[in-house]
Amino acid sequence: MPDTIVALATPFGISAIAKIRVSGSLTQTLIKKHFNKENPLSHFAFLSNYISDSGKIIDQVMVLFFNHKRSYTGEDALEIDCHGNPLIIRSILGDLQISGCRMAEPGEFTKRAYLNHKIDLCQAEAVLDVIHATNESALEISQKQLQGTLSEKIIHFNDLLLSLLAEIEARIDFVDEGLEFDEKILAKLDDGLKEIETIMGSHRFRKILLNGVSVAIVGHPNAGKSSLLNALLNEERALVSDTPGTTRDFISENIIIEKFLIKIIDTAGLRATSDPVEVLGIAKTIDNIRLADLCLIVIDQNNPLPLESAVIEELSSKQCILVSNKIDLQKKIFYFPKELRHFPTVSISAKQNIGIDVLKSTIVQKIRKDLSLPQDIAIVINERHREIFQNVRELMVSAKNIFQNQQSYELCASDLRFALETLGYITGQYNTEDMLGKIFSQFCIGK
Ligand SMILES: Nc1nc2c(ncn2[C@@H]2O[C@H](COP(=O)(O)OP(=O)(O)OP(=O)(O)O)[C@@H](O)[C@H]2O)c(=O)[nH]1
Ligand SMILES: [Mg+2]
């Protein structure tokens, strides 16, 4: 029988309330010993003194018992809400260890939930994503996956592989009856391969959801790049002045636009200069252009200085939006190099906050379009899932080739069987200690 584990589920430090979690077979014994209560009702909180092993009252606490049939871990479990004083927390944790509990390892409560079939492995991974989501979109998707959207896809895919396998195996058994090459099976194999492509394609959304999209603001000195950063952030973050070369080093800030996490980088103005500090700043700007997912090329539409050809070349291979700034002033000339004119243009006044909302929606449109980001993302797979799907795809391609060439039904069936088994590693139908160790070590203690 696994031992009973204990952990602090809330951050350690001074707080209004701290939650201590217990899971395992000792739970009811602990409730009797420390709260003098027998047969506690599941899911009903009660107020009690915590009485230590030596009979001392440590704190007045709220206690919540969960019967194993309806608990997170699938074992009898207990939550103790005590006052958030580190002295009290330490005393209770120490005392529960005297009573036979062991301190939990990171993610051990969720690992037990998985091992007791309360959730599958991709739902366990979704728990981690829910806790770490930094923006609403990431949170929304991880919550959907926690409810089982990815698991459902896998079950559906599993059924498809099973029915394919059944049909191929029928050919092995009745090969004498002369079952021949079948278009329907081939179409089914193709459907499966298409589905796998779509699922694997969702992996690239993960980076965007977790790390956000990096957007670099580039252009000439004095074009109004720092003013634009401030307008997007709606605060005076960067220094603005009419002296060209004000921004020497880049400044990076996060904003959320339409639920997307966007990392905006204001850069040093691009111009030929002999000032060594500015030269370094410009070199960093070029690096930022290379690393950015999207560049906003800002010009002062009243004074549009030419960009160097090396910079134009760099930008033309990126995704960009042309930003024509200072429309509040009388327009003199409008100029963007012809190599860049295929990018969308937005006219703004960073100083007077004109056109900023249009620019924000153009940024989001561009992100959606360039990354083929659907309006409603149902699933996003992680690197572990992607590697497994890649193996499944290779096996399916091999099965298709064997089938098409009518080589051997046995070989074809063997590939499909192996593909099915490989798929089982995603939901955790199959697992290895190493794999579980890698997944659960990323969790916090107490989850
Ligand atoms: N009239 C007007 N002036 C603006 C506008 N945007 C910026 N400016 C002015 O242009 C000057 C330069 O603005 P910055 O935002 O510092 O320009 P920058 O591109 O960051 O310049 P560097 O950091 O030197 O590369 C400042 O005096 C701003 O007030 C605008 O939309 N209209
Ligand atoms: Mg600046």
Side-chain angles (χ1 to χ4, degrees), residues 143-256:
Q143 281 174 329
K144 277 187 198 162
Q145 288 190 187
L146 180 54
Q147 281 153 25
T149 46
L150 179 57
S151 316
E152 277 164 23
K153 269 250 179 277
I154 309 284
I155 291 170
H156 177 252
F157 199 73
N158 196 73
D159 289 349
L160 188 137
L161 285 178
L162 268 177
S163 76
L164 264 169
L165 183 61
E167 296 203 40
I168 302 283
E169 278 175 345
R171 277 159 174 71
I172 302 173
D173 294 342
F174 300 105
V175 79
D176 291 344
E177 292 179 16
L179 285 175
E180 288 293 311
F181 176 79
D182 186 337
E183 284 293 340
K184 261 200 269 167
I185 291 198
L186 198 63
K188 234 184 202 175
L189 271 163
D190 280 334
D191 284 350
L193 281 167
K194 250 187 239 145
E195 190 160 338
I196 232 175
E197 286 303 330
T198 318
I199 299 174
M200 285 182 75
S202 76
H203 179 248
R204 67 177 188 281
F205 309 147
R206 191 173 171 85
K207 178 186 161 282
I208 301 166
L209 288 171
L210 295 191
N211 309 337
V213 181
S214 57
V215 175
I217 307 178
V218 296
H220 270 285
N222 254 358
K225 300 178 294 301
S226 301
S227 306
L228 174 57
L229 173 82
N230 292 346
L232 287 167
L233 294 175
N234 211 7
E235 66 171 77
E236 296 308 305
R237 168 68 181 85
L239 216 60
V240 166
S241 101
D242 56 7
T243 313
T246 306
T247 309
R248 298 288 183 106
D249 205 350
F250 67 91
I251 300 172
S252 161
E253 286 291 336
N254 288 343
I255 54 167
I256 305 275

Side-chain angles (χ1 to χ4, degrees), residues 27-42 44 46 48 63 65 76:
T27 299
Q28 301 220 33
T29 314
L30 295 170
I31 293 175
K32 170 83 185 77
K33 177 177 174 187
H34 297 289
F35 311 112
N36 199 18
K37 191 166 182 94
E38 292 207 56
N39 303 321
L41 278 178
S42 184
F44 279 90
F46 62 92
S48 173
V63 186
F65 166 67
D76 277 356

Side-chain angles (χ1 to χ4, degrees), residues 365-431:
Q365 271 168 27
K366 196 119 184 69
I367 294 170
R368 284 198 189 283
K369 188 163 160 266
D370 297 336
L371 301 161
S372 318
L373 212 61
Q375 202 72 28
D376 186 24
I377 308 170
I379 59 156
V380 172
I381 58 167
N382 64 25
E383 186 54 30
R384 185 184 77 85
H385 306 146
R386 198 194 60 77
E387 277 172 20
I388 296 174
F389 272 120
Q390 192 156 329
N391 292 338
V392 174
R393 182 175 59 184
E394 275 166 26
L395 287 161
M396 283 186 69
V397 168
S398 159
K400 184 183 163 181
N401 288 338
I402 293 169
F403 184 74
Q404 262 178 327
N405 301 329
Q406 289 174 280
Q407 285 170 339
S408 144
Y409 290 134
E410 274 95 347
L411 275 181
C412 183
S414 144
D415 274 348
L416 288 175
R417 237 177 269 121
F418 200 24
L420 266 166
E421 190 184 320
T422 309
L423 196 66
Y425 281 91
I426 295 187
T427 51
Q429 185 186 351
Y430 303 105
N431 64 54

Side-chain angles (χ1 to χ4, degrees), residues 82-141:
C82 63
H83 292 98
N85 178 332
L87 294 170
I88 296 174
I89 298 167
R90 272 205 201 99
S91 288
I92 296 180
L93 286 176
D95 196 62
L96 286 168
Q97 288 176 77
I98 294 171
S99 295
C101 297
R102 161 175 76 70
M103 287 304 285
E105 285 165 16
E108 203 172 355
F109 290 88
T110 309
K111 186 175 179 182
R112 288 186 176 197
Y114 158 67
L115 292 173
N116 291 323
H117 311 292
K118 286 283 179 180
I119 50 173
D120 66 28
L121 207 50
C122 31
Q123 285 173 304
E125 288 170 306
V127 170
L128 191 66
D129 289 344
V130 167
I131 294 173
H132 291 284
T134 52
N135 60 81
E136 277 182 55
S137 298
L139 184 59
E140 229 171 76
I141 291 180

Side-chain angles (χ1 to χ4, degrees), residues 12-30:
F12 189 72
I14 294 179
S15 60
I17 290 167
K19 187 180 284 295
I20 291 169
R21 247 180 150 181
V22 174
S23 177
S25 54
L26 282 182
T27 299
Q28 301 220 33
T29 314
L30 295 170

